[in-house]
């Protein structure tokens, strides 16, 4: 397992690529740090997108009944991709100002090229 830190200039493209590749994959969303401790906000629900703009990062997850949860991380400081040794994405970690971490964990890590081949 290894972690790649993504430079700020590549956040938007990286999140757009991940969103296209992993749309519909089951994820869990955890918030860790600060007064929160460790809290799971969503468990095993479909990812519907991740995006970045000048004010923050938004993670969209579809929950029961088809409703979308927009989890907003204001003033993000770091974006990391956690991968298996084989290159499968396990998680996306967004660290906000103040040390609060939002962690999007994939239920079944999969290399992007395998997932893309399965849907073509």
């Amino acid at each position: 397992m290894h972690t790649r830190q993504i430079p700020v200039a590549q956040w938007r493209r990286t999140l757009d690529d991940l969103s296209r590749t992993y749309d519909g994959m089951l994820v869990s969303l955890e918030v860790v740090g600060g007064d929160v401790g460790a809290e799971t906000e969503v468990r095993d629900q479909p990812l519907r997108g991740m995006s970045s703009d000048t004010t923050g990062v938004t993670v969209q997850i579809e929950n029961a009944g088809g409703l979308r949860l927009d989890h907003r991380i204001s003033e993000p400081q770091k974006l990391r991709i956690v991968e298996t040794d084989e290159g499968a994405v396990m998680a996306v970690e967004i660290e906000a100002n103040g040390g609060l971490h939002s962690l999007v964990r994939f239920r079944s890590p999969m290399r992007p090229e395998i997932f893309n081949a399965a849907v073509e």
Side-chain angles (χ1 to χ4, degrees):
M1 176 173 72
H2 67 279
T3 302
R4 291 186 295 129
Q5 185 160 316
I6 308 301
V8 174
Q10 295 177 12
W11 286 11
R12 177 174 282 182
R13 180 177 175 201
T14 299
L15 293 174
D16 286 349
D17 288 347
L18 287 167
S19 295
R20 276 190 299 278
T21 302
Y22 295 106
D23 181 48
M25 294 290 289
L26 297 181
V27 297
S28 294
L29 174 64
E30 299 173 32
V31 178
V32 181
D35 296 335
V36 176
E39 182 176 305
T40 300
E41 295 204 2
V42 174
R43 185 179 310 273
D44 295 336
Q45 298 297 319
L47 178 68
R48 291 300 176 212
M50 293 182 278
S51 61
S52 172
D53 61 29
T54 57
T55 62
V57 171
T58 301
V59 178
Q60 293 183 326
I61 299 173
E62 187 175 313
N63 60 17
L67 300 174
R68 284 200 179 170
L69 166 73
D70 287 350
H71 177 76
R72 182 82 177 152
I73 301 103
S74 299
E75 299 181 27
Q77 302 298 304
K78 295 180 183 175
L79 175 67
R80 299 179 189 99
I81 308 295
V82 182
E83 298 174 326
T84 65
D85 291 335
E86 295 79 27
V89 176
M90 295 174 57
V92 177
E93 179 183 11
I94 304 113
E95 182 179 338
N97 197 11
L100 197 63
H101 296 250
S102 294
L103 192 61
V104 179
R105 290 186 189 268
F106 290 87
R107 180 175 172 185
S108 299
M110 190 176 298
R111 292 193 327 262
E113 63 272 13
I114 292 173
F115 185 73
N116 287 339
V119 296
E120 289 179 356

